[in-house]
Amino acid sequence: MSVGMHGIRTAGDLVLRMQISKKMRLNEAKEYVAKKLGTDVYTLSDEYAMKEIREELGIGTINAVPGQPKGLKAKAKIAELLDIKIPCVDLMR
Amino acid sequence: MSKIHTRMGDGRRVEMTREEIKAEIEDGNNNAATKGKVPSLTDDELDHLVDIFTTPERFVSVNPEDLVVMSTDVAPDTIFMNYSEYGGVGVPTDTVTAQMIAERVCGSDCVQNAFRGGNLKGTSVSIMQVRQDIEALAMNTIAPIIYTTMPNMGAYFKPDGPFDNCGDLMAAGKIKEGQETYEAIVPSIVKDAMYISEMVTSIGADCINLDTAAAAGDAEFQAVLEATEKITKELGLPVLINMSNHFVMGMHGEVEYNGKRLAGMMPHDQAKVVEESGASVYGPVVNTNTKKSVAWNVAKAAAVMKECGKQSNLPIHPNLGMGVCGAPMAEIPPIDAVSRAAKALVEVGRVDGF
């Protein structure tokens, strides 16, 4: 709670994806994600900025806004954006 | 001299002076160096730990750019499970809803699924239900899906499994028979881990967490490493390895992985074999000593984690929960203690997540 990025509130899910799929250390993963999102490492942990970025890119937020990508649809966008394979997205395709 | 509220490793609140806390931190650091066989923290790092433990705020944190991520062995399932071992709160819901709550309400970095108790052996007969859960998770959540399971070598002993109890054989003086039985169970664990991995891969899980590794000692750790090698090479499924305790117990005593003896292996050496096995994330453990203060335990854990990070190229996610890595051994770990442990492991231990 005290030191976490907090998932889709910010970009925690994206950073963890890079650690799991590419074995990136924390700083490398953050820099990679920030570059792909067109922002900086500081902003990755900013809920206010990340809500706008996530909505604009269609990669899902904590708010279940009708019509906004959620679940598998959001993950398909994340796979494209981060240039990684997401297994359930591959299965869907 | 003013007193500072702090805690013991069992969660009890105690009062100490700044000098007493500093002495605890130095002693914990010395213990890591002598017993844990890692380099001591620097004077600046020790001073920083003293600052963390003497600040009066109840809750401490880190700079925004230093925030970390959290993988998990079971956390979101604690919303609905009432297993005391999980510390679950028993809210009547189901695993998929619990994960969605964890992701959207609690801000969890991942979602996860684990069949009740998490045993590899038990899961292999319930895999269809597991796959239904994962399929629903895949459709409804955004964060990476971790499937968590534990090798639990003890579940392979009679009467639950086909093998004699290795511990009983050893206790009866049948050392050779005990060792041979440990060795005979390893392929069964690898086979079950591979089967479960195939099943969760086929339905879209992002990775598998082989959790509580080496709980039954060195042969179990060998099984986890061999399973990881096979899963990553043959299925391409990323593996997270999370340990059960600080050093690997030498229940067999002679098993090796890549020519390295596993018995007695410390976290900074475990990190190397975990990396060699092909795993993606390594979760080391430092057991909390309940008779020592949280400051003592956290100093020890921070020194160990710092060395793990130096010895491995993998992301290091120490297990920070009740009774490990400085968190008090209490069912509801106090946030003042846990937040201090987390801050110390990030700023001094330089961990990549939890």
Side-chain angles (χ1 to χ4, degrees):
Chain A
M1 186 187 288
S2 67
V3 300
M5 290 186 74
H6 294 157
I8 62 174
R9 284 172 63 86
T10 63
D13 60 318
L14 309 179
V15 172
L16 182 58
R17 275 197 186 282
M18 298 320 298
Q19 291 194 344
I20 291 171
S21 62
K22 300 292 181 188
K23 305 182 185 182
M24 288 182 181
R25 300 296 292 264
L26 182 65
N27 291 340
E28 185 188 3
K30 283 183 175 179
E31 281 163 17
Y32 182 90
V33 171
K35 190 177 172 189
K36 291 290 186 183
L37 264 55
T39 186
D40 53 59
V41 167
Y42 193 95
T43 304
L44 292 184
S45 303
D46 178 351
E47 291 91 339
Y48 181 87
M50 280 307 304
K51 181 178 185 294
E52 287 194 359
I53 291 172
R54 293 192 76 115
E55 278 187 354
E56 198 177 301
L57 295 171
I59 56 175
T61 72
I62 60 166
N63 301 113
V65 180
Q68 277 281 319
K70 301 173 193 68
L72 203 49
K73 193 173 176 185
K75 282 188 279 198
K77 297 239 180 190
I78 289 170
E80 279 174 29
L81 185 69
L82 297 183
D83 193 21
I84 56 170
K85 283 184 177 293
I86 296 182
C88 60
V89 173
D90 285 353
L91 285 173
M92 176 188 72
R93 287 177 174 148
Chain B
M1 194 170 292
S2 65
K3 294 273 189 176
I4 296 154
H5 288 299
T6 185
R7 293 186 190 272
M8 297 299 287
D10 63 359
R12 277 180 300 127
R13 209 170 74 177
V14 291
E15 289 184 338
M16 291 184 184
T17 63
R18 184 182 175 89
E19 285 66 34
E20 286 169 336
I21 286 177
K22 188 177 179 189
E24 288 286 303
I25 287 169
E26 286 172 351
D27 194 39
N29 176 49
N30 290 338
N31 188 280
T34 54
K35 298 277 179 70
K37 300 170 185 168
V38 296
S40 291
L41 297 172
T42 65
D43 288 344
D44 284 348
E45 288 166 337
L46 292 171
D47 288 344
H48 188 53
L49 289 179
V50 173
D51 290 341
I52 291 172
F53 277 91
T54 54
T55 189
E57 286 88 4
R58 177 170 184 258
F59 183 87
V60 297
S61 185
V62 299
N63 293 333
E65 60 269 37
D66 292 334
L67 292 169
V68 299
V69 290
M70 195 178 83
S71 52
T72 179
D73 54 357
V74 78
D77 273 1
T78 59
I79 291 171
F80 74 99
M81 280 184 174
N82 58 4
Y83 289 21
S84 61
E85 63 181 300
Y86 288 170
V89 295
V91 174
T93 180
D94 66 284
T95 186
V96 178
T97 310
Q99 307 303 318
M100 292 175 76
I101 291 168
E103 180 182 79
R104 296 190 191 174
V105 180
C106 307
S108 177
D109 295 304
C110 61
V111 292
Q112 72 92 43
N113 185 256
F115 190 70
R116 313 292 177 269
N119 277 358
L120 264 181
K121 188 165 160 291
T123 310
S124 57
V125 294
S126 310
I127 195 65
M128 289 310 293
Q129 184 184 341
V130 166
R131 294 174 80 216
Q132 286 175 338
D133 286 344
I134 294 174
E135 193 170 42
L137 275 177
M139 288 190 284
N140 288 291
T141 61
I142 296 170
I145 302 168
I146 299 175
Y147 185 75
T148 299
T149 189
M150 300 184 289
N152 276 358
M153 190 177 252
Y156 291 82
F157 297 162
K158 291 174 184 172
D160 300 320
F163 297 96
D164 287 330
N165 186 316
C166 303
D168 289 349
L169 289 170
M170 294 273 189
K174 297 177 180 176
I175 307 300
K176 189 70 181 165
E177 290 90 332
Q179 285 181 320
E180 286 171 355
T181 307
Y182 273 124
E183 290 163 21
I185 299 173
V186 170
S188 292
I189 292 177
V190 174
K191 185 181 167 195
D192 284 347
M194 192 64 187
Y195 175 65
I196 299 300
S197 296
E198 283 172 3
M199 292 295 103
V200 301
T201 300
S202 70
I203 211 69
D206 287 284
C207 60
I208 191 164
N209 172 9
L210 297 179
D211 193 53
T212 330
D218 47 354
E220 186 181 299
F221 192 33
Q222 182 194 30
V224 166
L225 296 168
E226 288 184 6
T228 301
E229 207 173 303
K230 200 167 165 63
I231 292 165
T232 52
K233 276 184 187 161
E234 295 182 21
L235 299 174
L237 182 71
V239 178
L240 286 58
I241 296 181
N242 285 291
M243 302 302 292
S244 56
N245 56 309
H246 189 157
F247 63 88
V248 178
M249 292 184 293
M251 303 301 285
H252 180 292
E254 295 176 343
V255 292
E256 295 181 346
Y257 182 76
N258 284 351
K260 292 168 188 155
R261 192 170 172 234
L262 299 178
M265 191 173 265
M266 290 292 179
H268 57 283
D269 288 325
Q270 294 164 21
K272 293 179 209 167
V273 291
V274 165
E275 187 173 354
E276 287 169 20
S277 74
S280 290
V281 175
Y282 166 53
V285 164
V286 174
N287 300 90
T288 294
N289 184 336
T290 55
K291 293 178 181 174
K292 299 287 187 181
S293 67
V294 170
W296 186 96
N297 281 292
V298 167
K300 179 176 180 177
V304 170
M305 294 312 145
K306 185 184 166 192
E307 187 62 12
C308 283
K310 279 187 185 172
Q311 297 290 341
S312 174
N313 296 307
L314 296 182
I316 306 293
H317 286 200
N319 295 274
L320 179 62
M322 58 175 100
V324 282
C325 285
M329 186 64 205
E331 261 196 315
I332 305 179
I335 192 68
D336 54 296
V338 178
S339 67
R340 278 165 175 75
K343 179 178 171 70
L345 294 183
V346 169
E347 293 180 340
V348 178
R350 307 311 304 177
V351 300
D352 300 276
F354 288 106

